[in-house]
Amino acid sequence: MPSDEGRTDKNVRTPRKRRIIVGVSGASGFDYGVRILEMLRREGVETHLVVSRAAMTAMAHESEMTVAGLKALADHTYDNRDIAAPIASGSFRTAGMIIAPCSAKSLAEIAMGTGGTLIARAADVVLKERRRLVVLFRETPLHLGHCHNMLRLTEMGGIVMPPVPAFYPRPTSLDEMVMHTAARALDLFGLEIPMDGRWKGG
């Protein structure tokens, strides 16, 4: 019987690395995006990053990190004005998109389907392809327009996850609170992020 040793089969495909789009928009909570990128890198997930100009302003107020440092955490980065980027097409296959933090402006653009920026267009593509979209909407208090946009996005298949901190893990630092929320957000993509303080019940 002939040996199969050294034989290659062109019909057998190597499993594609999992891809997730990460959007960082102009709301307070820049560190959520940073921690999520770090976690995805540790999990071996290929990341495609888009950062809005307003997010860069927030970063300057909230973090010592530079734009170059943030981009270094991702496998691929795109300009938010680049509507021709690969992630703007449904034929570019991904596991979905997470926007952390998500501003009221970005939420409205996605909910209304205007697609005026790459973040909004990529999110629209994720929704139309029935992939997972998670937005860490960072705004408070809320007016009726915010509530309507969250409802619209939920009806369209997205998940609105305001980054509300959990206190049962008894965090001892702000970073622990951010890490817990970031890991919980990635739970929604079926990723098992190692995390202290998961609820064990009574």
Side-chain angles (χ1 to χ4, degrees):
M1 179 177 291
S3 171
D4 287 338
E5 186 177 352
R7 178 177 162 189
T8 59
D9 189 339
K10 293 182 179 179
N11 293 321
V12 176
R13 297 182 180 179
T14 302
R16 182 172 51 81
K17 191 175 182 180
R18 197 172 192 194
R19 296 168 171 164
I20 290 180
I21 304 166
V22 179
V24 180
S25 66
S28 184
F30 175 80
D31 277 353
Y32 290 116
V34 173
R35 295 294 173 256
I36 283 167
L37 285 168
E38 290 173 344
M39 290 175 178
L40 290 174
R41 169 163 284 191
R42 286 196 294 269
E43 293 298 308
V45 177
E46 181 181 301
T47 51
H48 294 256
L49 173 67
V50 192
V51 184
S52 74
R53 190 168 296 277
M56 295 178 191
T57 301
M59 176 181 68
H61 288 279
E62 297 183 0
S63 174
E64 299 300 320
M65 178 168 281
T66 63
V67 175
L70 177 67
K71 290 181 176 180
L73 296 175
D75 294 296
H76 305 275
T77 61
Y78 308 95
D79 190 297
N80 198 30
R81 298 166 294 183
D82 186 9
I83 302 301
I87 59 174
S89 171
S91 63
F92 186 81
R93 297 175 62 188
T94 70
M97 180 176 186
I98 183 166
I99 305 175
C102 180
S103 66
K105 180 178 182 289
S106 292
L107 175 69
E109 288 176 341
I110 299 165
M112 296 300 176
T114 59
T117 64
L118 182 56
I119 287 177
R121 170 58 187 168
D124 192 67
V125 166
V126 165
L127 289 172
K128 80 181 182 67
E129 297 293 332
R130 305 301 191 266
R131 298 168 187 160
R132 179 57 51 92
L133 173 66
V134 177
V135 302
L136 273 65
F137 181 48
R138 179 62 180 78
E139 189 59 85
T140 190
L142 305 174
H143 60 57
L144 188 58
H146 297 143
C147 296
H148 280 316
N149 287 335
M150 288 191 288
L151 175 61
R152 284 178 60 87
L153 186 60
T154 302
E155 290 175 336
M156 293 159 67
I159 296 177
V160 180
M161 180 184 168
V164 178
F167 292 94
Y168 58 81
R170 297 188 180 183
T172 58
S173 68
L174 181 60
D175 190 57
E176 283 185 13
M177 296 172 74
V178 171
M179 294 281 281
H180 187 273
T181 298
R184 289 284 292 112
L186 293 179
D187 283 351
L188 297 170
F189 291 87
L191 295 170
E192 296 186 13
I193 306 295
M195 179 183 71
D196 293 331
R198 287 191 182 274
W199 180 254
K200 297 179 175 60

